[in-house]
Amino acid sequence: MYRFLGAATRRAVPPESWSGQRRWSHQQSKWTLGHGWVGGLGLGLGLVLGAKLASGLSGATPAPSPGAPRPDESPLGEPLSPAPAPGLPPWQPPAPPPSPSPERFARAIESSRDLLHRIKDEVGAPGIVVGVSVDGKEVWSEGLGYADVENRVPCKPETVMRIASISKSLTMVAIAKLWEEGRLDLDIPVQKYVPEFPEKEYEGEKVSVTTRLLISHLSGIRHYEKDMKKVKEEKAYKALKKMKETMEFNQDKDLKEIGGKSNEKSEFAKAKTEQDSEAKCRNSKPGKKKNDFEQDELYLKEKFENSIESLRLFKNDPLFFKPGSQFLYSTFGYSLLAAVVERASGQKFLDYMQKIFHDLDMVTTVQEEYEPMIYNRARFYVYNKKGRLINTPYVDNSYKWAGGGFLSTVGDLLKFGNAMLYGYQVGMLKNLNEKLLPGYLKPETMVMIWTPVPNTEMSWDREGKYAMAWGVVEKKQIYGSCRQQRHYASHTGGAVGASSVLLILPEDLEVETTDNRMTIPPRGVVVTIICNMQSVGLNSTALRIALEFDKDKSD
């Protein structure tokens, strides 16, 4: 009440009398009055001054003081913008879409953390690290368990682990860059770049191995298994099994189309077909084939000085299949691709890759070498025959830098995934295309890379196909109000004492969305998981996590 009365008094008194008012205030402090006199005097004075102030303001417009801005000028002396037309809101520049905050994804984080704890406990993994980004922003990264069990060093987002075959996706960027620059032809024999790799024959016929076939594992070059007979038997067994499943699906479909009406003859024929198929599968079932972790070449300790030198491991071996005819996953094929990159770029493979890592801001991604000090590097583990956790043996991965020899963190892998997603989507946004920065790879290049290739397989998700150094599942829905298959790209990895996955779930940019100026790529969810235990399947876990975050994003 007293502050209000004081303010009213100051407004009623002209500025030139402020000094007299201050003297009066100073003098009144010498008076000694009772509390009742002060209250009554203040109330009466306030009422009188308030009435006079109100009557003075109602009929007069105060003149501006010297130096004060005119009503039609800004404080800086510049004319103000004209008032908007009646009924129209004032123009404002479009604000960028809000950045996703971790609080928004609290439910998804809690659910995903619980899932990872379950997976970790189920497989007995010492440590696991996860990273998730939404629309290009990292919203969650966390380590569970131990990076170093002996010294009780916990996992954290900065933990460096083997990323295994995700290295193939990194190598694809180098190949794509050289192709975009016109320095690499994907469809001519690799001998043009690497004459040290001998020309090949298959069943007496000369055949060509090209860079494109190597990328999609269609070259016929072997993997770690050297026994061609075992590999062919396994491929034949899988083909028969798939044929049987297809026949059963078609028979069920035919029965539904005719309303389930079938006579005894058709039932007998169906039963006989099933028996014949089972007999064929039993007779053609291959002998026990070693898995990758039982192959001696996976545990090589020899250091190779360059990519050309590592070719001697397999260059003189026969092709297991005719190039282009069948899919045979081959890390050695990527060792040959490293040599192609060296010759096409004129640089050592690792030097060229480090330039790419620098451009992508992947500051913790390096080739795995034993001697250098690599901060936050985890140790790698396996269980022995007695079920005890032990350290993995020493291995030298210099023979397969391109196919499985890099180390990284979840933060770097998220950056890489978002760079790929940006390049893929930037071409879809026609209205903003000229205003946005270009992607590291061109949109048409990314579309080519993420287009499934015929005659290929995606071992970590049977719904998909292998593309160019990525597995791709396409969008599909067969029945209304039923399961909808989302489009995504991923690559898994398995190395000695390590498992990994990088999964990209793009936002479905419809025509309406691509015309919206607020849509700025990358749009979607990127998930990566790295683990210091081998033989841990992580793709389905990463997909579940991506869908959880996508759900929170949509809500």
Side-chain angles (χ1 to χ4, degrees):
M1 178 67 181
Y2 294 145
R3 284 194 298 269
F4 171 77
L5 291 174
T9 305
R10 285 193 296 272
R11 290 184 182 179
V13 179
E16 58 270 15
S17 66
W18 278 15
S19 59
Q21 180 190 358
R22 284 197 295 271
R23 287 194 298 271
W24 177 82
S25 299
H26 178 68
Q27 290 171 357
Q28 76 167 343
S29 64
K30 300 179 182 179
W31 300 347
T32 305
L33 297 175
H35 293 293
W37 281 94
V38 173
L41 179 61
L43 179 59
L45 181 61
L47 292 174
V48 173
L49 291 176
K52 295 190 70 172
L53 181 62
S55 61
L57 293 176
S58 62
T61 302
S65 60
R70 299 202 316 267
D72 61 341
E73 286 186 345
S74 70
L76 298 178
E78 300 175 353
L80 294 174
S81 300
L88 294 178
W91 181 87
Q92 291 182 351
S99 299
S101 60
E103 294 79 11
R104 180 181 175 187
F105 301 99
R107 186 205 60 83
I109 291 174
E110 182 179 357
S111 173
S112 301
R113 183 185 294 117
D114 178 69
L115 174 63
L116 284 174
H117 273 295
R118 292 170 182 266
I119 297 297
K120 178 182 174 300
D121 293 342
E122 181 182 340
V123 301
I128 193 166
V129 188
V130 61
V132 180
S133 71
V134 178
D135 296 343
K137 304 294 183 182
E138 183 177 319
V139 296
W140 181 45
S141 59
E142 186 175 347
L144 308 175
Y146 291 99
D148 183 340
V149 175
E150 292 170 87
N151 298 297
R152 311 299 281 176
V153 178
C155 283
K156 55 185 178 180
E158 296 78 19
T159 297
V160 175
M161 291 190 186
R162 291 170 177 159
I163 62 171
S165 288
I166 298 177
S167 303
K168 294 179 174 68
S169 302
L170 300 178
T171 299
M172 184 62 222
V173 177
I175 296 168
K177 269 293 182 185
L178 293 169
W179 177 72
E180 287 182 345
E181 295 166 0
R183 293 196 281 169
L184 176 59
D185 190 330
L186 301 178
D187 299 305
I188 62 174
V190 293
Q191 286 81 7
K192 176 181 178 181
Y193 303 101
V194 189
E196 291 88 348
F197 187 76
E199 293 186 357
K200 293 293 181 179
E201 293 184 356
Y202 183 77
E203 295 182 350
E205 176 188 355
K206 283 190 175 182
V207 293
S208 294
V209 175
T210 66
T211 300
R212 190 182 298 273
L213 293 175
L214 287 167
I215 293 168
S216 298
H217 303 286
L218 291 169
S219 67
I221 291 176
R222 70 174 179 87
H223 194 37
Y224 296 121
E225 176 61 70
K226 296 181 180 180
D227 192 327
M228 184 189 299
K229 182 180 178 182
K230 287 183 178 179
V231 172
K232 289 197 169 190
E233 285 179 350
E234 183 185 32
K235 295 287 286 185
Y237 174 71
K238 287 182 177 179
L240 281 172
K241 189 176 180 181
K242 186 175 181 180
M243 185 184 301
K244 177 189 173 186
E245 292 172 352
T246 304
M247 289 174 60
E248 290 176 349
F249 175 79
N250 291 335
Q251 287 173 351
D252 291 341
K253 187 177 179 182
D254 292 341
L255 287 174
K256 288 180 180 179
E257 288 178 354
I258 64 175
K261 297 179 181 179
S262 59
N263 52 35
E264 293 181 1
K265 184 176 180 181
S266 63
E267 289 290 342
F268 176 77
K270 178 182 176 183
K272 188 175 186 304
T273 302
E274 291 178 352
Q275 290 174 359
D276 291 345
S277 298
E278 289 176 2
K280 287 180 180 179
C281 288
R282 282 196 300 269
N283 294 334
S284 61
K285 190 171 183 178
K288 181 174 175 56
K289 173 179 168 290
K290 293 181 179 179
N291 64 47
D292 288 347
F293 294 102
E294 296 175 325
Q295 304 292 344
D296 295 337
E297 284 177 323
L298 197 65
Y299 300 92
L300 289 177
K301 296 175 174 56
E302 180 181 358
K303 187 174 183 62
F304 293 86
E305 294 301 324
N306 53 58
S307 299
I308 300 297
E309 186 182 343
S310 67
L311 299 182
R312 63 179 169 82
L313 291 171
F314 61 92
K315 67 179 183 179
N316 294 320
D317 294 338
L319 298 181
F320 280 22
F321 298 101
K322 183 177 180 180
S325 65
Q326 292 202 50
F327 178 85
L328 179 61
Y329 191 89
S330 173
T331 292
F332 284 129
Y334 275 73
S335 297
L336 179 53
L337 285 173
V340 171
V341 169
E342 281 192 358
R343 294 294 171 76
S345 66
Q347 302 179 43
K348 291 182 178 180
F349 174 72
L350 292 179
D351 291 342
Y352 193 72
M353 291 304 299
Q354 282 301 325
K355 177 184 179 302
I356 289 175
F357 298 154
H358 176 78
D359 292 343
L360 294 172
D361 196 28
M362 299 174 67
V363 296
T364 60
T365 303
V366 294
Q367 69 273 13
E368 183 182 9
E369 293 180 289
Y370 180 73
E371 297 86 0
M373 301 295 292
I374 299 175
Y375 298 147
N376 299 313
R377 175 162 35 178
R379 302 190 71 165
F380 304 102
Y381 301 95
V382 68
Y383 285 94
N384 64 13
K385 294 180 179 179
K386 296 182 179 180
R388 296 295 299 272
L389 189 70
I390 59 172
N391 291 300
T392 56
Y394 165 75
V395 293
D396 189 302
N397 288 321
S398 58
Y399 73 98
K400 59 170 185 178
W401 297 131
F406 289 110
L407 302 171
S408 191
T409 60
V410 294
D412 267 15
L413 292 178
L414 289 179
K415 291 177 184 178
F416 171 63
N418 280 303
M420 299 299 100
L421 182 57
Y422 183 99
Y424 179 72
Q425 291 180 329
V426 70
M428 302 178 185
L429 307 174
K430 303 183 185 304
N431 290 347
L432 287 174
N433 202 14
E434 296 179 358
K435 301 178 182 178
L436 294 173
L437 292 172
Y440 192 69
L441 296 178
K442 297 176 181 178
E444 54 269 27
T445 304
M446 283 306 308
V447 170
M448 176 184 72
I449 289 173
W450 282 356
T451 298
V453 175
N455 296 332
T456 61
E457 303 168 9
M458 184 175 169
S459 60
W460 52 91
D461 191 336
R462 294 175 61 188
E463 303 281 0
K465 295 280 188 181
Y466 205 83
M468 300 183 79
W470 289 87
V472 176
V473 173
E474 295 186 295
K475 180 181 177 181
K476 183 174 69 175
Q477 185 171 5
I478 301 176
Y479 306 108
S481 297
C482 294
R483 177 179 178 270
Q484 183 181 17
Q485 185 173 287
R486 290 286 302 272
H487 169 231
Y488 77 88
S490 74
H491 210 298
T492 61
V496 176
S499 303
S500 60
V501 64
L502 174 61
L503 185 144
I504 302 174
L505 183 72
E507 181 178 312
D508 191 5
L509 297 181
E510 302 292 349
V511 177
E512 297 81 2
T513 307
T514 56
D515 290 336
N516 185 351
R517 294 181 181 272
M518 303 293 287
T519 304
I520 300 176
R523 303 287 290 183
V525 182
V526 180
V527 178
T528 184
I529 308 172
I530 52 179
C531 171
N532 56 354
M533 169 66 66
Q534 65 194 41
S535 302
V536 182
L538 294 171
N539 189 78
S540 60
T541 302
L543 181 58
R544 287 179 63 181
I545 291 174
L547 292 173
E548 288 290 333
F549 280 82
D550 184 69
K551 180 181 178 182
D552 278 9
K553 174 189 170 184
S554 301
D555 294 343

